[in-house]
Amino acid sequence: MADLARRSDTSGSKPRVVFVRDGDRRVKRLEETDRLPLRLLIGVIVAIGVVGLVWMVGHVGFRRGFAPIVRVPELLGDPGGGLVTGTMILISIPTLVMRAGMAEPLWLMVGFVMIAMPAGALAAARPRQKGAPIDTFTFVMSSIGATLAGLTTIGILWWTGSQARLSRIGDLPFTADQVEVWQRNLETVAGLDVIAVVAAALWVVLSMRLAIPVWMRALVVSATMFALVVMVTAMSLTNAAAAHIQSPRSLCLVDDDESFAPRLLLGSTGTHIASVRVEGNVVAVELLEAPNMMTVVDRQSIVQLLRSHGAAKR
């Protein structure tokens, strides 16, 4: 190393000391390394998962919800139709919840209580630290939470198969004057299903944070997760149907039809075209072989078509 002290001259003045040191070297610890690539990867995975979930909900809802309700379970959807239907479901959720609340305020209050309990408990719940002792108060409150989660799971599973729900999910009515009751019942069930899904999801998250034994947590989480999957499937059926009956469709005239009765297109079964036609007060769902030409005269939803004929009948 170079000398640390040098004399500026030989006249006997005090020596000037010069310190020599290396430049600053900042070494990042492993946990301080740039996490941007990892965060981007997680974001991409989450985005793909959300899109996949929306597509699955839309596809299942169209094939097993809307198609059977309009009496054509063979109705097909294009590959991108699931994503479109899923988007329609997301857009219609606020309206359906509001209409369900106006139609059934008591059921709405029950749903909000089921949401409020886990939402409030999440602020106080903390996951158990490995090896840390559990105080009596925390254990008692966590046990109460686990019991409530189990009871809520039973209630959600009961709702999906209850007569109070299934009796309101009817097929397309055979007379146009029944459209008001049919639409109101379907939208009420769809809105309540959304509330049940939110409650089930919150109970799943809370169950994972309860300070209870591992075996009990595994049991509660499994039960609440099962209820969530069942409820999401049930919600997709009712909400897809409620969204599609309000969606505008092509009102067409078949050129080789001498009756010149307008038909509302529902879709295709692969070999036939499904359509709805109203004659007088009777609602008919028809399967037609692919015609040479169809003339689009208007755009209406199923509800609008039936409502116009039902009002004229009354």
Side-chain angles (χ1 to χ4, degrees), residues 176-212:
D177 55 1
Q178 297 177 347
V179 63
E180 298 290 345
V181 176
W182 174 67
Q183 179 189 7
R184 182 172 62 251
N185 288 339
L186 180 59
E187 291 181 343
T188 299
V189 173
L192 295 177
D193 284 350
V194 172
I195 296 175
V197 167
V198 176
L202 289 175
W203 281 108
V204 170
V205 177
L206 178 63
S207 299
M208 295 179 178
R209 299 175 64 87
L210 293 177
I212 52 180

Side-chain angles (χ1 to χ4, degrees), residues 14 17 19 23-24 36 40 45 49 64 81 87 89 92 107 112 138 141 199 207 232 237 254 274-275 303:
K14 293 183 178 179
V17 179
F19 294 94
D24 293 339
L36 180 59
L40 288 176
I45 295 175
R64 305 308 305 166
T87 305
I89 291 174
S92 64
W107 281 106
F112 281 162
T138 302
M141 296 304 296
S207 299
V232 168
L237 307 186
V254 180
S275 63
V303 172

Side-chain angles (χ1 to χ4, degrees), residues 46-65 76-90 232-233 235-237 240 244:
V46 171
I48 294 175
V50 170
V51 172
L53 179 62
V54 172
W55 178 88
M56 184 191 68
V57 167
H59 181 71
V60 173
F62 181 87
R63 291 298 308 273
R64 305 308 305 166
L76 301 178
D78 58 276
L83 189 59
V84 174
T85 301
T87 305
M88 291 169 56
I89 291 174
L90 293 177
V232 168
T233 304
M235 183 272 296
S236 67
L237 307 186
H244 270 286

